[in-house]
Structures are given as C-alpha cells and as structure tokens.
C-alpha cells in the first residue's frame, strides 16, 4: 500500500467529543453527567441550563460533530485512506462506551482517537484519556477483547488548524465597518481554567505559571495574528483572554475575562474588536452563549463594534489536517520518521502522554499514556 495512504497499524479512527443536549428534556440530565461527583447544587445546574433553553435546549456540538464525521469519511475516501471513522461522546449520546463496544464487535483492534480539543490541559486531554480508560474497563468487565487505543497529538499548531482560524479572522474583519477595520483589536478567547490546572498542564517539563495550556494558546494566537498582519498589511493588537469561568469565586482562574477585556478596550479607545474563539473546535454552548450572546451584549452596551470569527468546524483544511495527523502517527507506529507539521515556537507535541501530564485532583487510570493500564 502507498505509504501516503497507509493507516496501518490502525484499523479505525474514533472521533471523541464532549457531547451536548439535543432537546429541552436532555439539558438537566446532560449537566448532571458533566458535573457528576463534583457536588454541584441542582439549582446551579438549573441556572446553567437556562443558557441552553435560550436555544431550545439544543447545543450545536452534536450536529457539528455529525458534519465533521461526514467530512472526515468523505475526505478519507477521496484520498484513498481506507479507515472507518466512528463517533462517541463523553457526556451524551452516542456515548463513548457504546461506541467502543461497537468497534470491538466490528473487529477493530487498533484505534486512533481524535479528541475535539486542540490543547493540553486536564479537561482538554487527561479527562478524555480517563474516560477512555473507564470505557475500556467496562468492556473488560463484560469479557470483551480490548483494542489498543491511542490518541492523536495536540494540533493547536498544525497549519490546517492555524490557517483556518486566520481565514476566519479575515472574514470577520471584513464584516466590521470599514472605518474601524484597520485598527480593530483581536481578542483570542479560550475556556478559562483554574490557575492550578493551567500551571500543571502538559508534561512535567512544561509545568509552571500557565503551563502548556497558556503557552500553546499564545503560540497559536501569535501565528494567527502574524498571518492576519501579512494578509491585511495592518498591525492588529491582540491579547489572549478567557471565558466561561464556572468555579468558586475564591479559587483563582485564568484572566482577563472576555467581557472585562471588552470594557478595557473601550476605555482605551479601541475602534473595534474581533473575538476569536481559538480555544474551541466547534460552536458549542460556550461560544453561542458566552461570546455570541453575553459578550456581544456587553460590546453593544459599550458601543464597541464587535464581530466573532468562525470556529474551524469541518472546514476542508482542518479535515485535511486530521488526515495528515492520522498518517503521521501511523507512520511513526510503523517505525518510520514522517515529517511533522508544527510551525511556531513549540514544535510538535508528544504522541504518548508522559507520567505526570495534566494531572487531575484525583489519581485515575488514563488510556493513551506511558502509564496506561491498557497499553
């Protein structure tokens, strides 16, 4: 088989995502799944659930994953890559355990996983790996033969991701009034996490203030801002900002918040802003509510012209990037030395998570790592 289309030793790709409700009756059970074991009061869940009910109780993430699933299958077929693609979620149907069970019954024995999170952190990587290990433990208890499950490296600095984000920024700039376009600021937004979780994100060598989580976002934002500058001929000031904080007030989380940043931009006399959801692969609720609803309302109240750029979703270059990452990892597993696309200052991420990578508050088994019980 042509090395450029050979997925061996892998016999399936698993699209692994967060999941989301698809109707009003799903909202509270979904939020209970997300927060299980954390002692979140039911009234707080109802408060968060109100955001979903503004959109009919439907998160767009499942539909976007259906679109991505179809795009991956079509791209693989068009390029002669014979690799079936499955889809499972951590917190809503189709559930990860059910999907893995189907894969085992279909005879899949080497599974490569694409998580819909581009960066290193506990919630963006390790927790996905823990859920993989939990699903495998369930299948083992059922007496099923377990597949080996690996995970694609972080793709925040793959050109297919960065170029898609940059083009989204350019399209958003074009929607701003012409008189403010040239001086518009870029607010690169991602999910806030506790400082302690950020500081221990990535391999132990990357631990420290902000850890790999902040470093990776800054590296990606810097490259996107440079691409926008080259395309427009204008210097657009930018900053990495955060959104969607959900923790107790006394626990430090990454700042500044996007809404506070908008107020600061207004006070500084910024003519306009593009909010760039660089931390998100698709338009799930944090994008629809926290940016499109809440932050846009703040910008309107301030009189600050604002637009939001698109997430990468199932854009063809991002889909092609996934294909490239699959073939890169397959070649590596075969003992070859493929080229690894990763512009910027940080280089390509690790393929296998080392011990101490993105630790959680409680030690739990995790798949796709050096210390995985299912290697």
């Amino acid at each position: 088989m042509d090395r450029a289309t050979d997925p061996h030793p892998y016999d399936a790709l698993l699209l692994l995502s967060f999941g989301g409700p698809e109707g009003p009756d799903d909202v509270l059970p979904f939020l209970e799944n997300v927060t299980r074991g954390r002692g979140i009061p039911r009234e707080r869940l109802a408060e968060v659930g109100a955001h979903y009910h503004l959109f009919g109780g439907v998160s767009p993430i499942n539909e976007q994953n259906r679109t991505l699933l179809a795009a991956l299958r079509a791209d693989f077929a068009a390029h002669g890559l014979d690799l079936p693609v499955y889809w499972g979620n951590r917190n809503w149907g189709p559930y990860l355990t059910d999907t893995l069970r189907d894969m085992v019954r279909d005879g899949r024995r080497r599974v490569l996983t694409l998580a819909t999170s581009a960066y290193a952190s506990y919630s963006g990587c390790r927790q996905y790996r823990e859920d993989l290990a939990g699903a495998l433990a369930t299948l083992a208890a059922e007496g099923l033969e377990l597949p080996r499950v690996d995970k694609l490296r972080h793709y925040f600095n793959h050109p297919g991701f960065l170029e898609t984000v940059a083009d989204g920024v350019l399209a958003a700039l074009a929607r701003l009034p012409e008189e403010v376009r040239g001086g518009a600021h870029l607010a690169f937004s991602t999910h806030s996490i506790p400082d302690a979780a950020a500081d221990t994100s990535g391999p132990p060598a990357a631990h420290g203030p902000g850890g790999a989580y902040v470093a990776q976002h800054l590296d990606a934002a810097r490259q996107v801002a440079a691409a926008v500058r080259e395309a427009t001929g204008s210097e657009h000031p930018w900053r990495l900002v955060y959104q969607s904080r959900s923790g107790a007030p006394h626990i430090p989380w990454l700042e500044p918040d996007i809404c506070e940043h908008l107020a600061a931009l207004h006070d500084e006399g910024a003519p306009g802003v593009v909010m760039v959801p660089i931390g998100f692969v698709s338009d799930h609720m944090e994008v629809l509510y926290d940016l499109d609803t809440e932050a846009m309302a703040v910008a309107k109240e301030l009189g600050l012209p604002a637009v939001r750029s698109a997430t990468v979703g199932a854009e063809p270059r991002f889909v092609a990037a996934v294909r490239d990452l699959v073939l890169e990892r397959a070649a590596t597993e075969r003992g070859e030395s493929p080229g690894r696309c990763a512009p910027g200052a940080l280089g390509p991420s690790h393929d296998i998570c080392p011990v101490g990578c993105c630790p959680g508050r409680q030690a739990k088994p995790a798949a796709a790592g050096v210390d995985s019980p299912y290697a």
Side-chain angles (χ1 to χ4, degrees), residues 308-334:
R308 193 264 290 178
S309 65
T311 51
V312 296
E315 203 274 345
R317 277 170 302 177
F318 176 60
V319 173
V322 174
R323 171 168 36 88
D324 179 68
L325 289 164
V326 167
L327 293 171
E328 170 200 295
R329 181 61 183 274
T332 300
E333 290 295 308
R334 295 194 302 267

Side-chain angles (χ1 to χ4, degrees), residues 2-358:
D2 184 347
R3 193 177 288 178
T5 59
D6 185 3
H8 178 77
Y10 295 107
D11 55 17
L13 177 68
L14 168 63
L15 172 63
L16 176 56
S17 194
F18 193 81
E22 301 201 76
D25 293 341
D26 297 345
V27 173
L28 198 54
F30 163 74
L31 292 173
E32 288 172 342
N33 285 346
V34 173
T35 60
R36 183 165 286 115
R38 289 165 51 188
I40 306 296
R42 192 175 179 84
E43 52 269 25
R44 173 57 183 157
L45 296 184
E47 186 180 315
V48 174
H51 300 170
Y52 289 87
H53 289 298
L54 290 173
F55 302 91
V58 179
S59 168
I61 190 170
N62 272 8
E63 189 57 38
Q64 293 219 352
N65 278 321
R66 290 186 186 97
T67 302
L68 178 57
L69 183 71
L72 287 167
R73 288 171 173 168
D75 177 272
F76 286 7
H79 291 86
L81 177 56
D82 184 16
L83 191 70
V85 188
Y86 294 74
W87 168 39
N89 290 325
R90 293 177 46 221
N91 298 296
W92 202 248
Y95 286 103
L96 168 60
T97 301
D98 296 334
T99 299
L100 274 179
R101 186 182 295 109
D102 289 342
M103 297 175 83
V104 168
R105 290 172 175 167
D106 288 346
R108 311 304 174 192
R109 294 295 176 262
R110 286 294 302 272
V111 176
L112 190 53
T113 304
L114 165 67
T116 54
S117 174
Y119 302 88
S121 70
Y122 173 73
S123 57
C125 183
R126 174 93 192 182
Q127 198 168 21
Y128 282 80
R129 295 174 49 226
E130 289 177 354
D131 285 354
L132 280 167
L136 290 169
T138 297
L139 300 189
E142 294 172 1
L144 295 176
E145 182 180 352
L146 299 186
R148 172 172 163 177
V149 180
D150 293 331
K151 180 178 174 293
L152 287 172
R153 66 176 170 93
H154 301 300
Y155 46 85
F156 67 92
N157 57 358
H158 193 286
F161 180 81
L162 295 169
E163 291 169 9
T164 304
V165 174
D167 279 358
V169 174
L170 293 172
L173 281 168
R175 300 200 308 272
L176 281 173
E178 188 173 357
E179 62 271 18
V180 306
R181 195 176 301 157
H185 287 231
L186 309 180
F188 291 98
S189 190
T190 191
H191 209 301
S192 184
I193 60 175
D195 285 5
D199 294 348
T200 56
S201 58
H207 293 179
Y213 187 73
V214 172
Q216 290 173 358
H217 278 87
L218 287 173
D219 190 58
R222 193 173 294 115
Q223 293 181 76
V224 171
V228 171
R229 179 176 64 247
E230 183 176 352
T232 64
S234 300
E235 186 71 47
H236 293 274
W238 64 272
R239 184 165 184 180
L240 178 63
V241 299
Y242 303 93
Q243 61 175 89
S244 312
R245 175 185 171 135
S246 60
H250 68 280
I251 298 175
W253 283 53
L254 293 173
E255 297 177 332
D257 177 78
I258 177 65
C259 293
E260 294 172 357
H261 181 61
L262 293 176
L265 288 180
H266 174 262
D267 292 345
E268 293 166 10
V273 61
V274 175
M275 294 184 286
V276 187
I278 197 167
F280 303 89
V281 172
S282 65
D283 289 9
H284 46 84
M285 191 53 61
E286 281 84 353
V287 176
L288 254 63
Y289 182 80
D290 297 332
L291 291 184
D292 292 353
T293 305
E294 190 174 50
M296 280 296 183
V298 169
K300 183 177 181 180
E301 184 178 344
L302 293 167
L304 177 67
V307 291
R308 193 264 290 178
S309 65
T311 51
V312 296
E315 203 274 345
R317 277 170 302 177
F318 176 60
V319 173
V322 174
R323 171 168 36 88
D324 179 68
L325 289 164
V326 167
L327 293 171
E328 170 200 295
R329 181 61 183 274
T332 300
E333 290 295 308
R334 295 194 302 267
E336 301 167 18
S337 299
R340 295 165 68 86
C341 294
L346 300 181
S349 296
H350 50 266
D351 284 332
I352 303 173
C353 290
V355 176
C357 197
C358 302

